[in-house]
Amino acid sequence: MSDATTTLIDRPRPESDLIVRPARRDEYAAIGELSYAAYASDYEIGEDYGHTLRHPELRDGEYEIWVAVDGVTGELLGTTSILRNGPESRRRALDDELYFRLLAVAPAARRRGVGARLTRLAIDLARDRGLRAVSLNSGENMVGAHALYRSLGFERVPERDVVFGEGDDVRTVYTFVRVVVLDEG
């Protein structure tokens, strides 16, 4: 493919060209399709999980939905959901943790630092909110994501893993936690 036919999303761009901001409701359909494409490109997606990925509006009340967009083109590159305080937060995280999930990067935008930037958003928000740590869950087969999280200081906490299913269909969802250093001063 010649340079003239390569889209802007395919060209390497520095992370500094990323804009991370809260999602707008009119972006939800695109966020859903990006999320589904990101997960389906690497993993087999069940019908229920596919529905969750494709419909961010269903988690809008309990989660803050964030996006990363290309600062030059405005193209949607990635998304994540940050859990708000409430009933779900007590089930997902400890009281002094910020929990995030559904980190997704458009397949064509990988290797641009989008996933790292969205993960650092969670760390920054935890610090700003005076929370001790950031936590997340990740499927046992999501080894690429695990490498990203470990590179950013997350450690797996096996005693907090979630095991579900029965018989031959038992699955484990790993829990990763990163302690946040609060600014002193």
Side-chain angles (χ1 to χ4, degrees):
M1 182 183 293
S2 73
D3 190 48
T5 60
T6 303
T7 66
L8 284 176
I9 199 170
D10 294 328
R11 294 183 189 153
R13 301 182 69 84
E15 183 181 332
S16 62
D17 282 348
L18 296 176
I19 296 171
V20 175
R21 61 170 172 73
R24 298 185 316 257
R25 290 181 192 269
D26 66 341
E27 296 173 308
Y28 284 177
I31 290 167
E33 291 310 309
L34 179 147
S35 298
Y36 186 84
Y39 280 74
S41 71
D42 292 328
Y43 315 107
E44 185 175 324
I45 305 297
E47 186 176 332
D48 288 345
Y49 198 55
H51 186 77
T52 296
L53 292 169
R54 282 196 160 121
H55 294 280
E57 69 277 5
L58 298 176
R59 61 183 173 278
D60 185 29
E62 289 192 290
Y63 288 84
E64 303 167 26
I65 301 170
W66 290 78
V67 294
V69 298
D70 186 293
V72 175
T73 67
E75 190 164 7
L76 181 65
L77 304 177
T79 184
T80 194
S81 296
I82 309 282
L83 185 61
R84 301 176 197 272
N85 287 333
E88 178 75 7
S89 66
R90 289 187 287 281
R91 190 172 70 87
R92 294 274 186 176
L94 301 179
D95 287 340
D96 55 357
E97 290 178 347
L98 181 139
Y99 177 83
F100 77 101
R101 68 183 294 219
L102 300 173
L103 176 69
V105 176
R110 291 181 180 168
R111 304 277 182 230
R112 284 186 50 185
V114 176
R117 179 62 191 95
L118 287 167
T119 303
R120 281 198 295 280
L121 166 72
I123 296 165
D124 293 344
L125 288 173
R127 182 178 294 112
D128 292 349
R129 295 171 184 181
L131 299 172
R132 176 194 63 81
V134 177
S135 64
L136 64 101
N137 296 113
S138 183
E140 59 191 330
N141 60 337
M142 298 179 169
V143 295
H146 303 167
L148 168 67
Y149 301 139
R150 285 187 176 105
S151 76
L152 294 172
F154 285 81
E155 295 182 14
R156 184 169 166 228
V157 183
E159 60 271 18
R160 290 180 57 189
D161 288 351
V162 179
V163 180
F164 63 96
E166 295 180 11
D168 293 337
D169 192 30
V170 173
R171 287 179 260 159
T172 301
V173 177
Y174 295 163
T175 299
F176 288 87
V177 175
R178 183 190 190 275
V179 172
V180 174
V181 178
L182 300 175
D183 291 334
E184 296 179 326

